Amino acid sequence: MDKEVFALSSEGESDDCSVKEWIQSIQDNCAPDRLSEADKVIDGSVGGLGKAFENVLGTNRAVPLFEFRKPAGVRVANIEDKVTQAEQAIIDNHRKFGKAPQLFKQDE
């Protein structure tokens, strides 16, 4: 997954950001994170919320919060359904990825 790339372009400007670059920028406490920076060529609708964190459900592991402004295809008539779907997707991911991968130093 870390080789996946967000290819963003608008009106002659473009910027690419790999998932690996994005996650690394979060780990390095960059503000704005790499994806938020790349999204500026479109409309700046994706953005980390600075140093705001929440814990993964059922854990003490803090993860950064992101805001997705101006989501495409969301209308007043279907906002409740879209919010419910998004919330359920977040809960599902919290459950699926509740335990972060650990790096272990191998004996040499």
Side-chain angles (χ1 to χ4, degrees):
M1 177 178 213
D2 62 351
K3 294 180 182 178
E4 295 293 322
V5 174
F6 299 99
L8 308 170
S9 63
S10 178
E11 299 178 16
E13 292 185 69
S14 65
D15 196 353
D16 294 344
C17 170
S18 70
V19 171
K20 184 176 183 176
E21 290 174 317
W22 180 36
I23 299 303
Q24 187 64 52
S25 71
I26 293 168
Q27 290 174 339
D28 294 342
N29 293 315
C30 295
D33 61 272
R34 182 67 185 96
L35 181 58
S36 299
E37 187 67 32
D39 183 51
K40 288 180 181 177
V41 301
I42 296 179
D43 62 4
S45 66
V46 175
L49 295 175
K51 301 292 181 184
F53 288 85
E54 72 176 3
N55 287 340
V56 174
L57 290 173
T59 74
N60 289 326
R61 185 165 60 91
V63 292
L65 292 175
F66 285 84
E67 179 179 45
F68 296 86
R69 299 171 291 278
K70 304 179 199 167
V74 177
R75 304 277 185 252
V76 172
N78 66 357
I79 189 74
E80 183 178 358
D81 290 340
K82 293 293 184 180
V83 169
T84 300
Q85 290 169 3
E87 181 178 33
Q88 188 59 54
I90 291 166
I91 290 169
D92 292 346
N93 279 328
H94 275 249
R95 289 181 178 146
K96 183 176 179 181
F97 301 107
K99 294 193 183 262
Q102 304 265 333
L103 294 177
F104 295 99
K105 184 177 180 182
Q106 294 180 347
D107 293 331
E108 296 178 28

